[in-house]
């Protein structure tokens, strides 16, 4: 066989081994973000239109300095299996130790500076060590994250009240021996002490071990739930009607094996951005500023603390934060 023919066969074999079109749009960034992480980045198309950003935080088994490990499971692997995710995706690699919220945020900010990110639609999705990282990131930057899913993790936070401001879905298996479900219930109890858990969805996965929730990365339900939320939706309500069962996890790969799967994304029915929405008439909202207290807001708006608490599901002792939206009488 001629040398030319051998080269042609080699090229054809190489093309046959290339990943799907979606996977070809995944690019590695190393030593790029000062104070950030190395990461993979996925862009579904070259459009200049602003798009959602999904942040994937992996578990301890993918830590290190070999970025290829980050593609073993999670959204990037789901893309290769045929799940169509209509979002920018950043998948940083943790070299070791706990995820640092500040380093994750620096990586997000770099992506925002270089790509058309819709800053009202930034989402976080992580498991195990990445579940810890998800909770810690959301609690540190509740005014930046539109919604988050944390699976079989825990938290190193000292103040959990920021978590109450963000639509948050926690999933944990009851048979998890690596990170017991008590780590998640500890977070939930701490959130309850802040006085507001109306944006929390907690799923106990009966009989599911530590690795089981990883299959949620291949379910359309999780992405549809995330993408249904916006940061600028008044009161930032959680989108109802979503659930995941152990049976769902067991069947997660089935649909992907039968061909490409598209998400059915519906955004919140609440009107974003304008601070007022109602079916029965206009309702008014106030965006909390630095230095505000419930008493100060009540005086400015000529109402009472009791009324503010009643309308917003708060207690007099609840912590309010800059950027938080409060419904007014």
């Amino acid at each position: 066989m001629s040398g030319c023919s051998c080269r042609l066969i080699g090229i054809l074999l190489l093309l046959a081994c290339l990943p799907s079109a979606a996977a070809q749009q995944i690019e590695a960034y190393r030593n790029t973000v000062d104070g950030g992480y190395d990461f993979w980045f996925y862009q579904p198309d070259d459009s200049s239109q602003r798009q959602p950003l999904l942040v994937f935080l992996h578990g301890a088994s993918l830590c290190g300095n070999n970025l290829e490990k980050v593609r073993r499971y999670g959204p990037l692997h789901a893309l290769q299996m045929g799940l169509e995710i209509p979002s920018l995706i950043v998948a940083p690699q943790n070299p070791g130790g706990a995820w640092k919220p500040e380093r994750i945020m620096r990586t997000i900010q770099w992506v925002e500076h270089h790509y058309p990110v819709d800053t009202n639609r930034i989402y976080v999705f992580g498991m195990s060590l990445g579940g810890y990282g998800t909770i810690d990131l959301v609690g540190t930057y509740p005014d930046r994250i539109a919604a988050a899913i944390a699976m079989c993790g825990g938290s190193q936070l000292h103040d959990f009240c920021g978590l109450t401001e963000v639509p948050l879905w926690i999933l944990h298996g009851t048979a998890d021996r690596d990170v017991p479900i008590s780590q998640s219930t500890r977070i939930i109890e701490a959130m309850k002490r802040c006085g507001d858990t109306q944006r929390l969805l907690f799923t106990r996965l009966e009989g599911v071990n530590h690795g089981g929730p990883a299959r949620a990365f291949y379910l359309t339900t999780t992405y549809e739930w995330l993408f249904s939320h916006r940061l600028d939706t008044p009161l930032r309500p959680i989108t109802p009607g979503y659930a995941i069962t152990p049976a769902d996890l067991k069947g997660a790969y089935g649909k992907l094996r039968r061909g490409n799967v598209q998400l059915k994304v519906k955004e919140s029915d609440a009107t974003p951005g304008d601070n007022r929405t109602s079916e029965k008439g206009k309702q008014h909202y106030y965006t909390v500023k630095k230095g505000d207290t419930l008493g100060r807001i009540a005086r400015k708006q000529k109402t009472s603390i009791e009324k503010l608490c009643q309308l917003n599901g708060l207690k007099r002792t609840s912590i309010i934060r800059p950027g938080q939206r409060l419904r007014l009488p």
Side-chain angles (χ1 to χ4, degrees), residues 6 13-14 18 21 90 99 108 123 136 162 171 180 182 190 213 217 275 279 310 329:
C6 289
L13 289 172
L14 177 62
L18 285 174
V90 60
W99 284 100
I108 292 172
Y123 310 97
D136 292 350
L171 298 97
S182 59
F217 289 118
N275 276 352
E279 292 180 359
Q310 179 184 356

Side-chain angles (χ1 to χ4, degrees), residues 14-15 50 57 59 91 99 141 158 169 190 196 200 230 248 255 267 278 291 302 312 328:
L14 177 62
L15 290 173
R50 296 195 176 277
L57 301 181
W99 284 100
Y141 300 101
H158 298 293
W169 193 352
D196 183 5
L200 172 67
R230 293 181 58 95
D248 293 328
K255 290 183 179 180
E267 293 187 22
S278 174
K302 298 181 180 180
N312 295 281
L328 299 175

Side-chain angles (χ1 to χ4, degrees), residues 1-16:
M1 185 180 295
S2 69
C4 182
S5 297
C6 289
R7 285 194 297 272
L8 178 59
I9 292 174
I11 292 172
L12 292 174
L13 289 172
L14 177 62
L15 290 173

Side-chain angles (χ1 to χ4, degrees), residues 250-267:
K250 288 182 179 179
Y253 299 141
K255 290 183 179 180
L256 295 183
R257 291 195 182 102
R258 293 194 290 271
N260 287 3
V261 177
Q262 293 182 332
L263 306 185
K264 298 178 181 179
V265 181
K266 63 174 184 177
E267 293 187 22

Side-chain angles (χ1 to χ4, degrees), residues 42-159:
Y42 166 76
Q43 186 174 18
D45 55 54
D46 296 326
S47 171
S48 60
Q49 183 176 357
R50 296 195 176 277
Q51 301 175 70
L53 174 66
L54 174 66
V55 181
F56 163 58
L57 301 181
H58 63 71
S61 65
L62 305 189
C63 287
N65 298 305
N66 179 4
L67 265 177
E68 291 299 327
K69 295 171 67 174
V70 181
R71 299 174 64 169
R72 289 181 182 173
Y73 68 79
L76 299 183
H77 186 237
L79 286 171
Q80 291 177 296
M81 291 186 66
L83 181 62
E84 297 184 11
I85 304 174
S87 170
L88 305 171
I89 300 174
V90 60
Q93 183 176 38
N94 184 341
W99 284 100
K100 304 297 184 185
E102 298 80 8
R103 294 185 67 179
I104 301 170
M105 185 52 64
R106 289 191 189 103
T107 306
I108 292 172
Q109 290 170 336
W110 186 94
V111 174
E112 289 176 335
H113 182 72
H114 292 85
Y115 291 92
V117 176
D118 182 346
T119 56
N120 284 308
R121 302 189 69 199
I122 298 177
Y123 310 97
V124 191
F125 197 179
M127 73 165 289
S128 191
L129 182 66
Y132 277 81
T134 297
I135 294 293
D136 292 350
L137 179 68
V138 171
T140 305
Y141 300 101
D143 57 338
R144 296 297 312 277
I145 308 302
I149 295 178
M151 304 187 298
C152 54
S155 177
Q156 299 187 109
L157 289 173
H158 298 293
D159 180 0

